[in-house]
mmCIF file of all heavy atoms in Angstrom:
data_model
loop_
_atom_site.group_PDB
_atom_site.id
_atom_site.type_symbol
_atom_site.label_atom_id
_atom_site.label_comp_id
_atom_site.label_asym_id
_atom_site.label_seq_id
_atom_site.Cartn_x
_atom_site.Cartn_y
_atom_site.Cartn_z
ATOM 1 N N ALA A 1 -94.377 37.980 -45.258
ATOM 2 C CA ALA A 1 -93.712 36.998 -44.402
ATOM 3 C C ALA A 1 -93.152 37.707 -43.177
ATOM 4 O O ALA A 1 -93.192 38.932 -43.063
ATOM 5 C CB ALA A 1 -92.602 36.298 -45.186
ATOM 6 N N ALA A 2 -92.601 36.942 -42.249
ATOM 7 C CA ALA A 2 -92.116 37.500 -40.987
ATOM 8 C C ALA A 2 -91.074 38.594 -41.199
ATOM 9 O O ALA A 2 -91.086 39.618 -40.505
ATOM 10 C CB ALA A 2 -91.540 36.381 -40.123
ATOM 11 N N LEU A 3 -90.161 38.404 -42.156
ATOM 12 C CA LEU A 3 -89.109 39.390 -42.384
ATOM 13 C C LEU A 3 -89.683 40.716 -42.865
ATOM 14 O O LEU A 3 -89.245 41.788 -42.437
ATOM 15 C CB LEU A 3 -88.082 38.846 -43.383
ATOM 16 C CG LEU A 3 -86.850 39.712 -43.640
ATOM 17 C CD1 LEU A 3 -86.123 40.042 -42.338
ATOM 18 C CD2 LEU A 3 -85.906 39.007 -44.610
ATOM 19 N N HIS A 4 -90.665 40.673 -43.746
ATOM 20 C CA HIS A 4 -91.310 41.911 -44.199
ATOM 21 C C HIS A 4 -91.937 42.656 -43.023
ATOM 22 O O HIS A 4 -91.833 43.884 -42.917
ATOM 23 C CB HIS A 4 -92.415 41.603 -45.225
ATOM 24 C CG HIS A 4 -91.939 40.914 -46.455
ATOM 25 N ND1 HIS A 4 -92.330 39.637 -46.767
ATOM 26 C CD2 HIS A 4 -91.103 41.313 -47.443
ATOM 27 C CE1 HIS A 4 -91.768 39.274 -47.909
ATOM 28 N NE2 HIS A 4 -91.009 40.270 -48.340
ATOM 29 N N LEU A 5 -92.587 41.925 -42.135
ATOM 30 C CA LEU A 5 -93.292 42.542 -41.007
ATOM 31 C C LEU A 5 -92.318 43.153 -40.009
ATOM 32 O O LEU A 5 -92.571 44.232 -39.459
ATOM 33 C CB LEU A 5 -94.185 41.506 -40.328
ATOM 34 C CG LEU A 5 -95.346 41.011 -41.201
ATOM 35 C CD1 LEU A 5 -95.949 39.744 -40.616
ATOM 36 C CD2 LEU A 5 -96.405 42.092 -41.348
ATOM 37 N N ALA A 6 -91.198 42.484 -39.761
ATOM 38 C CA ALA A 6 -90.189 43.035 -38.860
ATOM 39 C C ALA A 6 -89.623 44.338 -39.418
ATOM 40 O O ALA A 6 -89.413 45.305 -38.680
ATOM 41 C CB ALA A 6 -89.068 42.018 -38.643
ATOM 42 N N ILE A 7 -89.414 44.377 -40.718
ATOM 43 C CA ILE A 7 -88.884 45.584 -41.358
ATOM 44 C C ILE A 7 -89.912 46.708 -41.323
ATOM 45 O O ILE A 7 -89.594 47.847 -40.951
ATOM 46 C CB ILE A 7 -88.477 45.273 -42.810
ATOM 47 C CG1 ILE A 7 -87.250 44.359 -42.829
ATOM 48 C CG2 ILE A 7 -88.193 46.567 -43.579
ATOM 49 C CD1 ILE A 7 -86.964 43.760 -44.174
ATOM 50 N N LYS A 8 -91.141 46.407 -41.688
ATOM 51 C CA LYS A 8 -92.194 47.430 -41.690
ATOM 52 C C LYS A 8 -92.380 48.055 -40.318
ATOM 53 O O LYS A 8 -92.646 49.253 -40.200
ATOM 54 C CB LYS A 8 -93.521 46.818 -42.150
ATOM 55 C CG LYS A 8 -93.668 46.651 -43.639
ATOM 56 C CD LYS A 8 -95.000 46.017 -43.983
ATOM 57 C CE LYS A 8 -96.177 46.848 -43.543
ATOM 58 N NZ LYS A 8 -97.462 46.253 -43.947
ATOM 59 N N SER A 9 -92.236 47.249 -39.286
ATOM 60 C CA SER A 9 -92.462 47.718 -37.926
ATOM 61 C C SER A 9 -91.219 48.361 -37.312
ATOM 62 O O SER A 9 -91.284 48.895 -36.206
ATOM 63 C CB SER A 9 -92.934 46.555 -37.045
ATOM 64 O OG SER A 9 -94.110 45.974 -37.566
ATOM 65 N N GLY A 10 -90.103 48.273 -38.017
ATOM 66 C CA GLY A 10 -88.882 48.912 -37.530
ATOM 67 C C GLY A 10 -88.167 48.165 -36.428
ATOM 68 O O GLY A 10 -87.424 48.774 -35.654
ATOM 69 N N HIS A 11 -88.327 46.841 -36.373
ATOM 70 C CA HIS A 11 -87.703 46.050 -35.312
ATOM 71 C C HIS A 11 -86.432 45.391 -35.849
ATOM 72 O O HIS A 11 -86.449 44.252 -36.324
ATOM 73 C CB HIS A 11 -88.677 45.017 -34.771
ATOM 74 C CG HIS A 11 -89.891 45.625 -34.148
ATOM 75 N ND1 HIS A 11 -89.818 46.558 -33.145
ATOM 76 C CD2 HIS A 11 -91.218 45.455 -34.406
ATOM 77 C CE1 HIS A 11 -91.033 46.946 -32.795
ATOM 78 N NE2 HIS A 11 -91.896 46.286 -33.545
ATOM 79 N N MET A 12 -85.331 46.132 -35.775
ATOM 80 C CA MET A 12 -84.103 45.699 -36.417
ATOM 81 C C MET A 12 -83.468 44.488 -35.743
ATOM 82 O O MET A 12 -82.770 43.710 -36.384
ATOM 83 C CB MET A 12 -83.111 46.854 -36.466
ATOM 84 C CG MET A 12 -83.605 48.032 -37.300
ATOM 85 S SD MET A 12 -84.105 47.551 -38.982
ATOM 86 C CE MET A 12 -85.877 47.825 -38.918
ATOM 87 N N GLN A 13 -83.688 44.308 -34.434
ATOM 88 C CA GLN A 13 -83.159 43.114 -33.776
ATOM 89 C C GLN A 13 -83.817 41.857 -34.325
ATOM 90 O O GLN A 13 -83.164 40.816 -34.474
ATOM 91 C CB GLN A 13 -83.364 43.208 -32.264
ATOM 92 C CG GLN A 13 -82.455 44.216 -31.581
ATOM 93 C CD GLN A 13 -82.661 44.244 -30.079
ATOM 94 O OE1 GLN A 13 -83.788 44.260 -29.591
ATOM 95 N NE2 GLN A 13 -81.574 44.245 -29.332
ATOM 96 N N CYS A 14 -85.115 41.970 -34.632
ATOM 97 C CA CYS A 14 -85.818 40.827 -35.228
ATOM 98 C C CYS A 14 -85.341 40.582 -36.657
ATOM 99 O O CYS A 14 -85.201 39.431 -37.081
ATOM 100 C CB CYS A 14 -87.327 41.074 -35.207
ATOM 101 S SG CYS A 14 -88.049 41.046 -33.550
ATOM 102 N N VAL A 15 -85.099 41.664 -37.399
ATOM 103 C CA VAL A 15 -84.554 41.522 -38.757
ATOM 104 C C VAL A 15 -83.225 40.792 -38.703
ATOM 105 O O VAL A 15 -82.984 39.829 -39.446
ATOM 106 C CB VAL A 15 -84.376 42.903 -39.425
ATOM 107 C CG1 VAL A 15 -83.651 42.762 -40.763
ATOM 108 C CG2 VAL A 15 -85.725 43.573 -39.628
ATOM 109 N N SER A 16 -82.352 41.233 -37.804
ATOM 110 C CA SER A 16 -81.029 40.616 -37.683
ATOM 111 C C SER A 16 -81.131 39.143 -37.300
ATOM 112 O O SER A 16 -80.434 38.293 -37.870
ATOM 113 C CB SER A 16 -80.217 41.377 -36.626
ATOM 114 O OG SER A 16 -78.945 40.787 -36.452
ATOM 115 N N LEU A 17 -82.016 38.822 -36.357
ATOM 116 C CA LEU A 17 -82.170 37.440 -35.910
ATOM 117 C C LEU A 17 -82.693 36.554 -37.037
ATOM 118 O O LEU A 17 -82.201 35.429 -37.242
ATOM 119 C CB LEU A 17 -83.114 37.375 -34.710
ATOM 120 C CG LEU A 17 -83.383 35.990 -34.129
ATOM 121 C CD1 LEU A 17 -82.090 35.302 -33.734
ATOM 122 C CD2 LEU A 17 -84.332 36.092 -32.940
ATOM 123 N N LEU A 18 -83.668 37.036 -37.780
ATOM 124 C CA LEU A 18 -84.210 36.254 -38.894
ATOM 125 C C LEU A 18 -83.134 35.980 -39.943
ATOM 126 O O LEU A 18 -83.039 34.853 -40.463
ATOM 127 C CB LEU A 18 -85.396 36.981 -39.520
ATOM 128 C CG LEU A 18 -86.695 36.947 -38.707
ATOM 129 C CD1 LEU A 18 -87.666 38.011 -39.198
ATOM 130 C CD2 LEU A 18 -87.339 35.563 -38.781
ATOM 131 N N LEU A 19 -82.325 36.973 -40.237
ATOM 132 C CA LEU A 19 -81.250 36.767 -41.210
ATOM 133 C C LEU A 19 -80.194 35.801 -40.674
ATOM 134 O O LEU A 19 -79.686 34.958 -41.417
ATOM 135 C CB LEU A 19 -80.617 38.107 -41.579
ATOM 136 C CG LEU A 19 -81.496 39.065 -42.384
ATOM 137 C CD1 LEU A 19 -80.810 40.410 -42.558
ATOM 138 C CD2 LEU A 19 -81.854 38.476 -43.751
ATOM 139 N N GLU A 20 -79.894 35.903 -39.381
ATOM 140 C CA GLU A 20 -78.935 34.980 -38.763
ATOM 141 C C GLU A 20 -79.429 33.536 -38.828
ATOM 142 O O GLU A 20 -78.618 32.605 -38.925
ATOM 143 C CB GLU A 20 -78.705 35.366 -37.304
ATOM 144 C CG GLU A 20 -77.880 36.625 -37.103
ATOM 145 C CD GLU A 20 -77.806 37.020 -35.644
ATOM 146 O OE1 GLU A 20 -78.300 36.241 -34.796
ATOM 147 O OE2 GLU A 20 -77.284 38.104 -35.348
ATOM 148 N N ARG A 21 -80.757 33.360 -38.766
ATOM 149 C CA ARG A 21 -81.343 32.012 -38.798
ATOM 150 C C ARG A 21 -81.673 31.579 -40.225
ATOM 151 O O ARG A 21 -82.501 30.708 -40.451
ATOM 152 C CB ARG A 21 -82.609 31.984 -37.942
ATOM 153 C CG ARG A 21 -82.367 32.312 -36.473
ATOM 154 C CD ARG A 21 -81.434 31.333 -35.781
ATOM 155 N NE ARG A 21 -81.220 31.682 -34.394
ATOM 156 C CZ ARG A 21 -81.994 31.287 -33.394
ATOM 157 N NH1 ARG A 21 -83.032 30.503 -33.625
ATOM 158 N NH2 ARG A 21 -81.728 31.663 -32.160
ATOM 159 N N ASN A 22 -81.010 32.223 -41.189
ATOM 160 C CA ASN A 22 -81.087 31.820 -42.602
ATOM 161 C C ASN A 22 -82.430 32.085 -43.263
ATOM 162 O O ASN A 22 -82.809 31.397 -44.221
ATOM 163 C CB ASN A 22 -80.703 30.341 -42.762
ATOM 164 C CG ASN A 22 -79.276 30.060 -42.337
ATOM 165 O OD1 ASN A 22 -78.368 30.826 -42.654
ATOM 166 N ND2 ASN A 22 -79.076 28.973 -41.609
ATOM 167 N N CYS A 23 -83.152 33.079 -42.763
ATOM 168 C CA CYS A 23 -84.348 33.520 -43.476
ATOM 169 C C CYS A 23 -83.926 34.079 -44.828
ATOM 170 O O CYS A 23 -82.949 34.833 -44.924
ATOM 171 C CB CYS A 23 -85.060 34.605 -42.657
ATOM 172 S SG CYS A 23 -86.492 35.314 -43.464
ATOM 173 N N ASP A 24 -84.640 33.728 -45.870
ATOM 174 C CA ASP A 24 -84.294 34.162 -47.223
ATOM 175 C C ASP A 24 -84.440 35.681 -47.342
ATOM 176 O O ASP A 24 -85.549 36.212 -47.233
ATOM 177 C CB ASP A 24 -85.212 33.469 -48.226
ATOM 178 C CG ASP A 24 -84.852 33.791 -49.672
ATOM 179 O OD1 ASP A 24 -83.885 34.538 -49.909
ATOM 180 O OD2 ASP A 24 -85.565 33.301 -50.570
ATOM 181 N N PRO A 25 -83.355 36.419 -47.605
ATOM 182 C CA PRO A 25 -83.454 37.873 -47.737
ATOM 183 C C PRO A 25 -84.133 38.309 -49.021
ATOM 184 O O PRO A 25 -84.384 39.507 -49.215
ATOM 185 C CB PRO A 25 -81.991 38.325 -47.699
ATOM 186 C CG PRO A 25 -81.243 37.164 -48.254
ATOM 187 C CD PRO A 25 -81.977 35.938 -47.752
ATOM 188 N N ASN A 26 -84.430 37.346 -49.883
ATOM 189 C CA ASN A 26 -85.088 37.657 -51.158
ATOM 190 C C ASN A 26 -86.553 37.240 -51.183
ATOM 191 O O ASN A 26 -87.192 37.304 -52.234
ATOM 192 C CB ASN A 26 -84.349 36.952 -52.309
ATOM 193 C CG ASN A 26 -82.876 37.294 -52.349
ATOM 194 O OD1 ASN A 26 -82.506 38.458 -52.392
ATOM 195 N ND2 ASN A 26 -82.014 36.280 -52.318
#
């Protein structure tokens, strides 16, 4: 999913934004 890809690519601003928009961290 998008969150996995942001993490794999090292884009922490995208990780933070996805979590802020209630993306499931699990």
Side-chain angles (χ1 to χ4, degrees):
L3 185 55
H4 300 115
L5 294 165
I7 291 167
K8 280 179 61 177
S9 302
H11 298 305
M12 297 306 112
Q13 288 182 315
C14 291
V15 173
S16 178
L17 180 56
L18 285 163
L19 292 174
E20 287 174 6
R21 299 299 180 88
N22 298 317
C23 176
D24 184 1
N26 305 305

